[in-house]
Amino acid sequence: MDQIKVEIDGSEFTAPAGSTILEIARANGVYIPTLCYDPRLTPYGACRLCLVEVEGARALLPSCYARAEDGMKIQTTNEKLERIRKTLVELLVSDHPMECMGCEKSGRCELQELAQRYDITESGYAGEKHEYIEFSENPFVTRDYNKCIMCGRCIRICREVQGVGVYDFVNRGFEAVPGTPFERPMQETPCEFCGQCISTCPTGAIKARPYEGDGRVAARDILRNACAYFHMSEEEMTKALGLEEWKVRTTCAYCGCGCQLDLHVIDNRIVEVTSPLMEGAGQGNLCVKGRFGYDFVGSRERLTRPLIRKGKKFVETDWDTALDLVAKKLGGTKKKSGADSIAVLASARITNEENYLIQKFARAGIGTNNVDHCARL
Amino acid sequence: MGTSGHRYKVVLGYGTCGIAAGATGVRDALEEAEKAGGYDMDFDIAGCMGYCFIEPVVEVFDSEGGSVIYGDMTAKKVAQLLDEHIKSGKVIEDWVVRKSDQPEAGEGDFLANQHRVVLRNCGKINPESIEEYIEIGGYEAAKKALATMSPDEVIEEVSAAGIRGRGGAGFPTGTKWGFARKSPGDIKYLICNADEGDPGAFMDRSVLEGDPHTVIEGMILAGYAIGARQGYIYCRAEYPLALKRLDIALEECHRRGFLGEGIFGSDWDFDIRIKKGAGAFVCGEETAMMASIEGKRGMPNPRPPFPANQGLWGKPTNINNVETLAAIPWIIANGGAEYAKTGTEKSKGTKVFCLAGKVRRSGLAEVPMGYTLRQVIFDVGGGVQAGKEFKAVQMGGPSGGCLPAALLDTLVDYDAIIATGAIMGSGGMIVADDRTCMVDLARYFLSFTQEESCGKCTPCRIGTKRMLEILERICEGRGEPDDIDKLDELAADIKAASLCALGGTAPNPVLTTLKYFRNEYEDHILNHKCTAGVCPALITLHIDPETCIGCGACVKVCPTEAITGEKKQPHVIDVEACIRCKMCLSRCPEDSIIAE
Ligand SMILES: Cc1cc2nc3c(=O)[nH]c(=O)nc-3n(C[C@H](O)[C@H](O)[C@H](O)COP(=O)(O)O)c2cc1C
Ligand code: SF4
Ligand code: SF4
């Protein structure tokens, strides 16, 4: 790939041709604030926070959108840019319910972070605020558009990544807001409840109902700040504080894709599932099962030991007994009716490696090619 | 205009504006008379002639080519017109707007001071007849270009003309075509921007209604020049008559092989499709327009990439305004150099303005670049109503600015106008007199842009709303001393940070009124006064006892019965009961009611 050289804030960087200014800046640790940017989505250029000054350009350019050109000289920060950014955040705050104390998103809200950065506790441009009703007509997604900053990320992720397109903006100007067609409840749209919109929403406007009210967010907040302050890892800190909450990185067990999950755990209970952005097979995207199908883990009804049917009843037993019984029955069937009287049905919920072993077991162990899998969940 | 054997030809201006003023009744009456026979005349309709101030308008041509224009026509007046003018050849002097043998007499100087290129056929030919367009040399330019000129030669001619885009930004058209031509790709698109959303602008509608074939011919030439085989006309659905006449025109072109495969017998294919816009001002912005054509929500996208490189459906695209395209056939027919003879050094040709507001003669004014604003407003427009004083002119609609009397000698020239803080824009000219409040005017324009903002980007969506709120409270007498600074600061950031030119220019009416009429803002905020007598919260109404004739007209309309008085005696307004709705103001025959 062709390489280009650009100068950002006086330092020279090399990058693949076609990169956006923001990509180059991020790759080299240069901070540019953003709100409507999500690396999973096509650039949008709406929030205007990432505007930068490019030498020779007629106007400020949105760095998320503008492609860098060889030899470009870029300023990501100066008095004018910072003044504009502060005004933009103030404007957003002027139409935001100032209820961070009770907001689940507090501590990882991108607007809150910028308000902090620009030292805004109250907007200098007070005026009318929206008073939308909250939509919580389904078990998965709550939408509170009073907290919406119109970044369009929910709309784009639904359309671009999921290929569904449940949302678009309705109305114009100050009244513009995301919505479903004709304000239909989400369950009456093609929504799959993957919660991707939740994963991208920078504020508390879209929330996951299953995670609601666990109080973990505030805890994690404190945790995160404390970690930064004491230079400790989250795990060390949770242990030191006896908070019993940390993230467990794991691989989703629902299908063979191998999406990475972060299980947020409080008191040995999963309270939220997220996926690390731009990592692993899913790049931070999850489906409804990966994101919301976690309660089986802590279910009391979950089988923890093998069962053997005795008459009409299932009786608990140990693994050796159970496996011996299966081996004996399979062996008997094979001897009596031949290996092809046996078929092995594997699952898409197990890993590729496990599926490999199963076909090996069928072909080499039992001696049949009758192998299939469900691939339907 | 030929009279096909008859002694007279009667032509009625039948555009939306004329129809709104009652032209349909006039048409019916004239058609009936023609059908009934007995009058030595032909009757035909044409597009708008531009005389908004005196619609409906009828032009009577005699067989020698002379003509008389009558204004304020009604169905009732038709009989008299037929009897006196058509039957007895007697001109009805009282109704005359303009006579071809005395072109500058009376209201005649409205037209005499114009120089019509774009509007050359408007009001002269029947827009629903391709024959009439062909008869006056229509489609000759397209034929000539396709037969004898290379696309590059067409572009060179347009560049030589020096014409700049009439849609607002004033980008040189030849240069823009050059970009689209050079942009690699087999499939390219041409879009005619007929969205015309500026309040106060109606020249594009008038051209489409009055001379649709000129626009189509301009598009054929543009398509050929840049290498686009498909054109779109993006026209707002609120222009039903323009759409109807475009439909008729396109059908006639198809029938004659002027559009479609191998047009004019050449090997060049070109076709045009109409896309109706739903009336969002922002869809006039080119990236929003392309999104809308693609079936998406009409929201702008950042540029670059520019349409010439990556436009409609990702293909190189060229977008031009109706007025720009309407000038192209003339340029190709007469040569770029001829066109460039008119105008200033950097602004060539003519520009159509829509005179509106408190001007005496509202209507379409096509003038050479290089005229002064004074010439446009006073020589063509006739200045303000008698007894009133010119105060300001809002140029370029909601994206433009408000210029005071002191700047009336500014030239009609892109760069000269930009230097004042206004813009040429699409050519709206809204005239304000001493009864116009500048804060209220700025508030009006901002309320328009604020409502029409697409809502995509932060500064425009929330910033214009906050500016509007400040203006509203100033008009309501609740302004605070630091409001002017706040307006200035917000305006600067909105201009610098907005995604598209809607937000980028939205503060202009506020900035220019702050620049040229700051005292009015201060009066509102500090002295709680609206000197123009407009803002209800800051005025009181009273009746001048010297001039009041006691007719009682005001008493009848006052919703709160605040006005009392004996018949034929001066009346009085009870200030406590008055809600300052100003209903009485317009009813008073003596202008005795004073708001201040
Ligand atoms: C908010 C907005 C509205 C616009 N509306 C129109 C319009 O109604 N008609 C038009 O021709 N151009 C309009 N423009 C300008 C177009 O984007 C574009 O510059 C123009 O059509 C180009 O044609 P030209 O080069 O012939 O002027 C608008 C621009 C903006 C930002
Ligand atoms: S709901 Fe969230 S993601 Fe969607 S536009 Fe609003 S702030 Fe952005
Ligand atoms: S400036 Fe206004 S109209 Fe243009 S993109 Fe931004 S919000 Fe939309």
Side-chain angles (χ1 to χ4, degrees), chain A residues 44-48 83 87 94 124-125 127-128 169 171-173, chain B residues 297 452-453 455-458 461 465-466 469 486 493 497 499:
Chain A
Y44 192 55
C47 72
R48 316 306 284 166
R83 193 201 66 222
T87 302
S94 77
Y125 301 109
E128 184 189 330
F169 290 118
N171 300 334
R172 271 182 238 162
Chain B
R297 180 178 158 99
E452 290 295 334
S453 154
K456 180 169 177 172
C457 71
T458 316
R461 181 183 70 254
K465 170 80 177 170
R466 297 296 175 242
E469 287 170 341
K486 270 195 182 160
D493 289 344
L499 194 165

PDB file of all heavy atoms in Angstrom, chain A residues 44-48 83 87 94 124-125 127-128 169 171-173, chain B residues 297 452-453 455-458 461 465-466 469 486 493 497 499:
ATOM      1  N   TYR A  44     -19.242  10.224   9.419  1.00  0.00           N
ATOM      2  CA  TYR A  44     -20.536  10.897   9.332  1.00  0.00           C
ATOM      3  C   TYR A  44     -20.383  12.417   9.377  1.00  0.00           C
ATOM      4  O   TYR A  44     -21.109  13.136   8.708  1.00  0.00           O
ATOM      5  CB  TYR A  44     -21.364  10.391  10.507  1.00  0.00           C
ATOM      6  CG  TYR A  44     -22.812  10.715  10.468  1.00  0.00           C
ATOM      7  CD1 TYR A  44     -23.601  10.370   9.372  1.00  0.00           C
ATOM      8  CD2 TYR A  44     -23.413  11.337  11.551  1.00  0.00           C
ATOM      9  CE1 TYR A  44     -24.960  10.659   9.373  1.00  0.00           C
ATOM     10  CE2 TYR A  44     -24.769  11.613  11.552  1.00  0.00           C
ATOM     11  CZ  TYR A  44     -25.537  11.273  10.464  1.00  0.00           C
ATOM     12  OH  TYR A  44     -26.871  11.541  10.466  1.00  0.00           O
ATOM     13  N   GLY A  45     -19.459  12.895  10.171  1.00  0.00           N
ATOM     14  CA  GLY A  45     -19.156  14.335  10.166  1.00  0.00           C
ATOM     15  C   GLY A  45     -20.211  15.222  10.768  1.00  0.00           C
ATOM     16  O   GLY A  45     -20.369  16.364  10.358  1.00  0.00           O
ATOM     17  N   ALA A  46     -20.971  14.732  11.755  1.00  0.00           N
ATOM     18  CA  ALA A  46     -22.098  15.519  12.254  1.00  0.00           C
ATOM     19  C   ALA A  46     -21.817  16.294  13.535  1.00  0.00           C
ATOM     20  O   ALA A  46     -22.297  17.395  13.704  1.00  0.00           O
ATOM     21  CB  ALA A  46     -23.301  14.616  12.475  1.00  0.00           C
ATOM     22  N   CYS A  47     -21.048  15.707  14.437  1.00  0.00           N
ATOM     23  CA  CYS A  47     -20.935  16.358  15.749  1.00  0.00           C
ATOM     24  C   CYS A  47     -20.009  17.563  15.692  1.00  0.00           C
ATOM     25  O   CYS A  47     -20.112  18.464  16.506  1.00  0.00           O
ATOM     26  CB  CYS A  47     -20.463  15.376  16.811  1.00  0.00           C
ATOM     27  SG  CYS A  47     -18.727  14.904  16.665  1.00  0.00           S
ATOM     28  N   ARG A  48     -19.128  17.592  14.740  1.00  0.00           N
ATOM     29  CA  ARG A  48     -18.224  18.707  14.460  1.00  0.00           C
ATOM     30  C   ARG A  48     -17.119  18.861  15.501  1.00  0.00           C
ATOM     31  O   ARG A  48     -16.356  19.821  15.440  1.00  0.00           O
ATOM     32  CB  ARG A  48     -18.963  20.037  14.293  1.00  0.00           C
ATOM     33  CG  ARG A  48     -20.208  19.977  13.448  1.00  0.00           C
ATOM     34  CD  ARG A  48     -20.008  19.397  12.099  1.00  0.00           C
ATOM     35  NE  ARG A  48     -19.357  20.254  11.128  1.00  0.00           N
ATOM     36  CZ  ARG A  48     -18.864  19.825   9.975  1.00  0.00           C
ATOM     37  NH1 ARG A  48     -18.962  18.546   9.661  1.00  0.00           N
ATOM     38  NH2 ARG A  48     -18.275  20.638   9.148  1.00  0.00           N
ATOM     39  N   ARG A  83     -12.159  26.709  21.293  1.00  0.00           N
ATOM     40  CA  ARG A  83     -13.327  27.537  21.591  1.00  0.00           C
ATOM     41  C   ARG A  83     -14.577  26.937  20.930  1.00  0.00           C
ATOM     42  O   ARG A  83     -15.631  26.802  21.549  1.00  0.00           O
ATOM     43  CB  ARG A  83     -13.110  28.963  21.078  1.00  0.00           C
ATOM     44  CG  ARG A  83     -14.147  29.945  21.624  1.00  0.00           C
ATOM     45  CD  ARG A  83     -14.273  31.188  20.772  1.00  0.00           C
ATOM     46  NE  ARG A  83     -14.806  30.864  19.466  1.00  0.00           N
ATOM     47  CZ  ARG A  83     -14.352  31.388  18.328  1.00  0.00           C
ATOM     48  NH1 ARG A  83     -13.347  32.256  18.342  1.00  0.00           N
ATOM     49  NH2 ARG A  83     -14.891  31.040  17.171  1.00  0.00           N
ATOM     50  N   THR A  87     -17.948  25.425  22.707  1.00  0.00           N
ATOM     51  CA  THR A  87     -19.306  25.872  22.358  1.00  0.00           C
ATOM     52  C   THR A  87     -20.181  24.679  21.975  1.00  0.00           C
ATOM     53  O   THR A  87     -21.330  24.575  22.396  1.00  0.00           O
ATOM     54  CB  THR A  87     -19.259  26.856  21.168  1.00  0.00           C
ATOM     55  OG1 THR A  87     -18.432  27.948  21.533  1.00  0.00           O
ATOM     56  CG2 THR A  87     -20.643  27.368  20.810  1.00  0.00           C
ATOM     57  N   SER A  94     -26.781  22.046  26.709  1.00  0.00           N
ATOM     58  CA  SER A  94     -27.945  22.914  26.902  1.00  0.00           C
ATOM     59  C   SER A  94     -29.250  22.197  26.598  1.00  0.00           C
ATOM     60  O   SER A  94     -30.311  22.641  26.999  1.00  0.00           O
ATOM     61  CB  SER A  94     -27.833  24.168  26.030  1.00  0.00           C
ATOM     62  OG  SER A  94     -28.151  23.868  24.678  1.00  0.00           O
ATOM     63  N   GLY A 124     -23.782  27.776  28.992  1.00  0.00           N
ATOM     64  CA  GLY A 124     -23.967  29.224  28.894  1.00  0.00           C
ATOM     65  C   GLY A 124     -25.090  29.592  27.947  1.00  0.00           C
ATOM     66  O   GLY A 124     -25.437  30.760  27.818  1.00  0.00           O
ATOM     67  N   TYR A 125     -25.639  28.582  27.251  1.00  0.00           N
ATOM     68  CA  TYR A 125     -26.678  28.879  26.270  1.00  0.00           C
ATOM     69  C   TYR A 125     -27.969  28.179  26.648  1.00  0.00           C
ATOM     70  O   TYR A 125     -28.492  27.359  25.900  1.00  0.00           O
ATOM     71  CB  TYR A 125     -26.232  28.435  24.877  1.00  0.00           C
ATOM     72  CG  TYR A 125     -24.961  29.105  24.437  1.00  0.00           C
ATOM     73  CD1 TYR A 125     -23.770  28.397  24.344  1.00  0.00           C
ATOM     74  CD2 TYR A 125     -24.953  30.467  24.143  1.00  0.00           C
ATOM     75  CE1 TYR A 125     -22.602  29.020  23.946  1.00  0.00           C
ATOM     76  CE2 TYR A 125     -23.784  31.092  23.751  1.00  0.00           C
ATOM     77  CZ  TYR A 125     -22.615  30.361  23.651  1.00  0.00           C
ATOM     78  OH  TYR A 125     -21.467  30.981  23.259  1.00  0.00           O
ATOM     79  N   GLY A 127     -31.719  27.182  27.231  1.00  0.00           N
ATOM     80  CA  GLY A 127     -32.899  27.379  26.397  1.00  0.00           C
ATOM     81  C   GLY A 127     -33.800  26.174  26.503  1.00  0.00           C
ATOM     82  O   GLY A 127     -33.652  25.361  27.430  1.00  0.00           O
ATOM     83  N   GLU A 128     -34.705  26.084  25.544  1.00  0.00           N
ATOM     84  CA  GLU A 128     -35.670  24.981  25.564  1.00  0.00           C
ATOM     85  C   GLU A 128     -34.968  23.629  25.551  1.00  0.00           C
ATOM     86  O   GLU A 128     -33.988  23.428  24.849  1.00  0.00           O
ATOM     87  CB  GLU A 128     -36.565  25.104  24.323  1.00  0.00           C
ATOM     88  CG  GLU A 128     -37.663  24.076  24.273  1.00  0.00           C
ATOM     89  CD  GLU A 128     -38.403  24.087  22.938  1.00  0.00           C
ATOM     90  OE1 GLU A 128     -38.479  25.165  22.307  1.00  0.00           O
ATOM     91  OE2 GLU A 128     -38.879  23.011  22.532  1.00  0.00           O
ATOM     92  N   PHE A 169     -33.747   9.237  11.323  1.00  0.00           N
ATOM     93  CA  PHE A 169     -34.188  10.463  11.969  1.00  0.00           C
ATOM     94  C   PHE A 169     -35.590  10.797  11.498  1.00  0.00           C
ATOM     95  O   PHE A 169     -35.951  10.548  10.350  1.00  0.00           O
ATOM     96  CB  PHE A 169     -33.259  11.624  11.612  1.00  0.00           C
ATOM     97  CG  PHE A 169     -31.905  11.496  12.235  1.00  0.00           C
ATOM     98  CD1 PHE A 169     -30.769  11.378  11.450  1.00  0.00           C
ATOM     99  CD2 PHE A 169     -31.759  11.507  13.609  1.00  0.00           C
ATOM    100  CE1 PHE A 169     -29.516  11.268  12.014  1.00  0.00           C
ATOM    101  CE2 PHE A 169     -30.509  11.395  14.187  1.00  0.00           C
ATOM    102  CZ  PHE A 169     -29.386  11.272  13.385  1.00  0.00           C
ATOM    103  N   ASN A 171     -38.371  14.260  11.693  1.00  0.00           N
ATOM    104  CA  ASN A 171     -38.453  15.712  11.911  1.00  0.00           C
ATOM    105  C   ASN A 171     -37.161  16.420  11.516  1.00  0.00           C
ATOM    106  O   ASN A 171     -36.163  15.790  11.208  1.00  0.00           O
ATOM    107  CB  ASN A 171     -38.809  16.058  13.347  1.00  0.00           C
ATOM    108  CG  ASN A 171     -40.149  15.473  13.728  1.00  0.00           C
ATOM    109  OD1 ASN A 171     -40.980  15.247  12.855  1.00  0.00           O
ATOM    110  ND2 ASN A 171     -40.352  15.220  15.001  1.00  0.00           N
ATOM    111  N   ARG A 172     -37.236  17.763  11.581  1.00  0.00           N
ATOM    112  CA  ARG A 172     -36.094  18.568  11.148  1.00  0.00           C
ATOM    113  C   ARG A 172     -35.624  19.493  12.258  1.00  0.00           C
ATOM    114  O   ARG A 172     -36.323  19.703  13.239  1.00  0.00           O
ATOM    115  CB  ARG A 172     -36.523  19.449   9.986  1.00  0.00           C
ATOM    116  CG  ARG A 172     -36.353  18.810   8.642  1.00  0.00           C
ATOM    117  CD  ARG A 172     -36.772  19.790   7.573  1.00  0.00           C
ATOM    118  NE  ARG A 172     -37.829  19.216   6.776  1.00  0.00           N
ATOM    119  CZ  ARG A 172     -38.638  19.920   6.002  1.00  0.00           C
ATOM    120  NH1 ARG A 172     -38.510  21.222   5.907  1.00  0.00           N
ATOM    121  NH2 ARG A 172     -39.573  19.333   5.301  1.00  0.00           N
ATOM    122  N   GLY A 173     -34.462  20.051  12.060  1.00  0.00           N
ATOM    123  CA  GLY A 173     -33.943  21.085  12.942  1.00  0.00           C
ATOM    124  C   GLY A 173     -33.831  20.604  14.377  1.00  0.00           C
ATOM    125  O   GLY A 173     -33.478  19.448  14.652  1.00  0.00           O
TER     126      GLY A 173
ATOM    127  N   ARG B 297     -32.856  10.040   3.401  1.00  0.00           N
ATOM    128  CA  ARG B 297     -33.251  11.291   4.027  1.00  0.00           C
ATOM    129  C   ARG B 297     -32.335  12.394   3.519  1.00  0.00           C
ATOM    130  O   ARG B 297     -31.121  12.210   3.415  1.00  0.00           O
ATOM    131  CB  ARG B 297     -33.117  11.150   5.543  1.00  0.00           C
ATOM    132  CG  ARG B 297     -33.505  12.389   6.327  1.00  0.00           C
ATOM    133  CD  ARG B 297     -33.374  12.124   7.818  1.00  0.00           C
ATOM    134  NE  ARG B 297     -33.221  13.343   8.558  1.00  0.00           N
ATOM    135  CZ  ARG B 297     -34.204  13.978   9.202  1.00  0.00           C
ATOM    136  NH1 ARG B 297     -35.410  13.474   9.187  1.00  0.00           N
ATOM    137  NH2 ARG B 297     -33.964  15.098   9.856  1.00  0.00           N
ATOM    138  N   GLU B 452     -35.650  24.817   9.142  1.00  0.00           N
ATOM    139  CA  GLU B 452     -35.282  24.050   7.960  1.00  0.00           C
ATOM    140  C   GLU B 452     -33.946  23.326   8.110  1.00  0.00           C
ATOM    141  O   GLU B 452     -33.545  22.570   7.233  1.00  0.00           O
ATOM    142  CB  GLU B 452     -35.242  24.961   6.732  1.00  0.00           C
ATOM    143  CG  GLU B 452     -36.627  25.444   6.297  1.00  0.00           C
ATOM    144  CD  GLU B 452     -37.524  24.311   5.809  1.00  0.00           C
ATOM    145  OE1 GLU B 452     -37.007  23.286   5.340  1.00  0.00           O
ATOM    146  OE2 GLU B 452     -38.757  24.449   5.921  1.00  0.00           O
ATOM    147  N   SER B 453     -33.247  23.585   9.195  1.00  0.00           N
ATOM    148  CA  SER B 453     -32.012  22.840   9.462  1.00  0.00           C
ATOM    149  C   SER B 453     -32.349  21.354   9.418  1.00  0.00           C
ATOM    150  O   SER B 453     -33.422  20.950   9.860  1.00  0.00           O
ATOM    151  CB  SER B 453     -31.504  23.211  10.862  1.00  0.00           C
ATOM    152  OG  SER B 453     -30.726  22.166  11.395  1.00  0.00           O
ATOM    153  N   GLY B 455     -30.880  19.140  11.037  1.00  0.00           N
ATOM    154  CA  GLY B 455     -30.691  18.595  12.375  1.00  0.00           C
ATOM    155  C   GLY B 455     -29.468  17.717  12.496  1.00  0.00           C
ATOM    156  O   GLY B 455     -29.213  17.144  13.550  1.00  0.00           O
ATOM    157  N   LYS B 456     -28.695  17.607  11.436  1.00  0.00           N
ATOM    158  CA  LYS B 456     -27.567  16.675  11.499  1.00  0.00           C
ATOM    159  C   LYS B 456     -26.453  17.186  12.411  1.00  0.00           C
ATOM    160  O   LYS B 456     -25.965  16.470  13.261  1.00  0.00           O
ATOM    161  CB  LYS B 456     -27.024  16.419  10.087  1.00  0.00           C
ATOM    162  CG  LYS B 456     -25.834  15.462  10.071  1.00  0.00           C
ATOM    163  CD  LYS B 456     -25.496  15.011   8.659  1.00  0.00           C
ATOM    164  CE  LYS B 456     -24.261  14.126   8.641  1.00  0.00           C
ATOM    165  NZ  LYS B 456     -24.003  13.524   7.336  1.00  0.00           N
ATOM    166  N   CYS B 457     -26.041  18.412  12.190  1.00  0.00           N
ATOM    167  CA  CYS B 457     -24.850  18.824  12.936  1.00  0.00           C
ATOM    168  C   CYS B 457     -25.189  19.743  14.107  1.00  0.00           C
ATOM    169  O   CYS B 457     -26.149  20.502  14.072  1.00  0.00           O
ATOM    170  CB  CYS B 457     -23.803  19.423  12.006  1.00  0.00           C
ATOM    171  SG  CYS B 457     -24.212  21.018  11.340  1.00  0.00           S
ATOM    172  N   THR B 458     -24.390  19.632  15.134  1.00  0.00           N
ATOM    173  CA  THR B 458     -24.651  20.309  16.404  1.00  0.00           C
ATOM    174  C   THR B 458     -24.800  21.823  16.283  1.00  0.00           C
ATOM    175  O   THR B 458     -25.765  22.382  16.803  1.00  0.00           O
ATOM    176  CB  THR B 458     -23.523  19.976  17.404  1.00  0.00           C
ATOM    177  OG1 THR B 458     -23.245  18.581  17.306  1.00  0.00           O
ATOM    178  CG2 THR B 458     -23.915  20.333  18.814  1.00  0.00           C
ATOM    179  N   ARG B 461     -28.102  22.721  14.439  1.00  0.00           N
ATOM    180  CA  ARG B 461     -29.316  22.213  15.077  1.00  0.00           C
ATOM    181  C   ARG B 461     -29.625  22.942  16.382  1.00  0.00           C
ATOM    182  O   ARG B 461     -30.734  23.418  16.591  1.00  0.00           O
ATOM    183  CB  ARG B 461     -29.203  20.702  15.340  1.00  0.00           C
ATOM    184  CG  ARG B 461     -30.442  20.092  15.973  1.00  0.00           C
ATOM    185  CD  ARG B 461     -30.279  18.617  16.284  1.00  0.00           C
ATOM    186  NE  ARG B 461     -29.343  18.362  17.368  1.00  0.00           N
ATOM    187  CZ  ARG B 461     -28.132  17.872  17.221  1.00  0.00           C
ATOM    188  NH1 ARG B 461     -27.687  17.538  16.042  1.00  0.00           N
ATOM    189  NH2 ARG B 461     -27.339  17.687  18.264  1.00  0.00           N
ATOM    190  N   LYS B 465     -31.050  27.414  17.108  1.00  0.00           N
ATOM    191  CA  LYS B 465     -32.199  27.435  18.032  1.00  0.00           C
ATOM    192  C   LYS B 465     -31.912  28.418  19.178  1.00  0.00           C
ATOM    193  O   LYS B 465     -32.763  29.222  19.540  1.00  0.00           O
ATOM    194  CB  LYS B 465     -32.421  26.021  18.565  1.00  0.00           C
ATOM    195  CG  LYS B 465     -33.405  25.929  19.707  1.00  0.00           C
ATOM    196  CD  LYS B 465     -34.823  25.966  19.216  1.00  0.00           C
ATOM    197  CE  LYS B 465     -35.790  25.802  20.391  1.00  0.00           C
ATOM    198  NZ  LYS B 465     -37.163  26.064  19.960  1.00  0.00           N
ATOM    199  N   ARG B 466     -30.703  28.348  19.709  1.00  0.00           N
ATOM    200  CA  ARG B 466     -30.362  29.235  20.826  1.00  0.00           C
ATOM    201  C   ARG B 466     -30.300  30.687  20.370  1.00  0.00           C
ATOM    202  O   ARG B 466     -30.714  31.593  21.084  1.00  0.00           O
ATOM    203  CB  ARG B 466     -29.033  28.811  21.460  1.00  0.00           C
ATOM    204  CG  ARG B 466     -29.064  27.412  22.082  1.00  0.00           C
ATOM    205  CD  ARG B 466     -30.036  27.298  23.258  1.00  0.00           C
ATOM    206  NE  ARG B 466     -30.135  25.928  23.753  1.00  0.00           N
ATOM    207  CZ  ARG B 466     -31.261  25.211  23.750  1.00  0.00           C
ATOM    208  NH1 ARG B 466     -32.381  25.727  23.302  1.00  0.00           N
ATOM    209  NH2 ARG B 466     -31.267  23.983  24.224  1.00  0.00           N
ATOM    210  N   GLU B 469     -33.803  31.851  20.090  1.00  0.00           N
ATOM    211  CA  GLU B 469     -34.401  32.129  21.405  1.00  0.00           C
ATOM    212  C   GLU B 469     -33.968  33.495  21.928  1.00  0.00           C
ATOM    213  O   GLU B 469     -34.763  34.232  22.519  1.00  0.00           O
ATOM    214  CB  GLU B 469     -34.019  31.027  22.406  1.00  0.00           C
ATOM    215  CG  GLU B 469     -34.763  29.727  22.141  1.00  0.00           C
ATOM    216  CD  GLU B 469     -34.237  28.545  22.945  1.00  0.00           C
ATOM    217  OE1 GLU B 469     -33.086  28.607  23.454  1.00  0.00           O
ATOM    218  OE2 GLU B 469     -34.957  27.546  23.060  1.00  0.00           O
ATOM    219  N   LYS B 486     -23.531  37.424  23.083  1.00  0.00           N
ATOM    220  CA  LYS B 486     -23.832  35.997  22.914  1.00  0.00           C
ATOM    221  C   LYS B 486     -24.167  35.689  21.462  1.00  0.00           C
ATOM    222  O   LYS B 486     -23.738  34.674  20.921  1.00  0.00           O
ATOM    223  CB  LYS B 486     -25.018  35.605  23.798  1.00  0.00           C
ATOM    224  CG  LYS B 486     -24.604  35.159  25.173  1.00  0.00           C
ATOM    225  CD  LYS B 486     -25.754  34.456  25.858  1.00  0.00           C
ATOM    226  CE  LYS B 486     -25.310  34.068  27.260  1.00  0.00           C
ATOM    227  NZ  LYS B 486     -26.435  33.828  28.152  1.00  0.00           N
ATOM    228  N   ASP B 493     -19.188  30.825  15.856  1.00  0.00           N
ATOM    229  CA  ASP B 493     -18.933  29.385  15.962  1.00  0.00           C
ATOM    230  C   ASP B 493     -19.835  28.585  15.021  1.00  0.00           C
ATOM    231  O   ASP B 493     -19.400  27.593  14.439  1.00  0.00           O
ATOM    232  CB  ASP B 493     -19.115  28.917  17.412  1.00  0.00           C
ATOM    233  CG  ASP B 493     -17.988  29.436  18.299  1.00  0.00           C
ATOM    234  OD1 ASP B 493     -16.955  29.867  17.741  1.00  0.00           O
ATOM    235  OD2 ASP B 493     -18.141  29.432  19.527  1.00  0.00           O
ATOM    236  N   ALA B 497     -18.317  26.151  12.191  1.00  0.00           N
ATOM    237  CA  ALA B 497     -18.370  24.716  12.489  1.00  0.00           C
ATOM    238  C   ALA B 497     -19.469  23.958  11.760  1.00  0.00           C
ATOM    239  O   ALA B 497     -19.475  22.735  11.781  1.00  0.00           O
ATOM    240  CB  ALA B 497     -18.535  24.512  14.003  1.00  0.00           C
ATOM    241  N   LEU B 499     -21.800  21.979   9.152  1.00  0.00           N
ATOM    242  CA  LEU B 499     -21.432  21.020   8.109  1.00  0.00           C
ATOM    243  C   LEU B 499     -21.686  21.595   6.719  1.00  0.00           C
ATOM    244  O   LEU B 499     -20.870  21.462   5.829  1.00  0.00           O
ATOM    245  CB  LEU B 499     -22.243  19.743   8.317  1.00  0.00           C
ATOM    246  CG  LEU B 499     -21.839  18.476   7.579  1.00  0.00           C
ATOM    247  CD1 LEU B 499     -22.524  17.285   8.210  1.00  0.00           C
ATOM    248  CD2 LEU B 499     -22.118  18.505   6.110  1.00  0.00           C
TER     249      LEU B 499
END
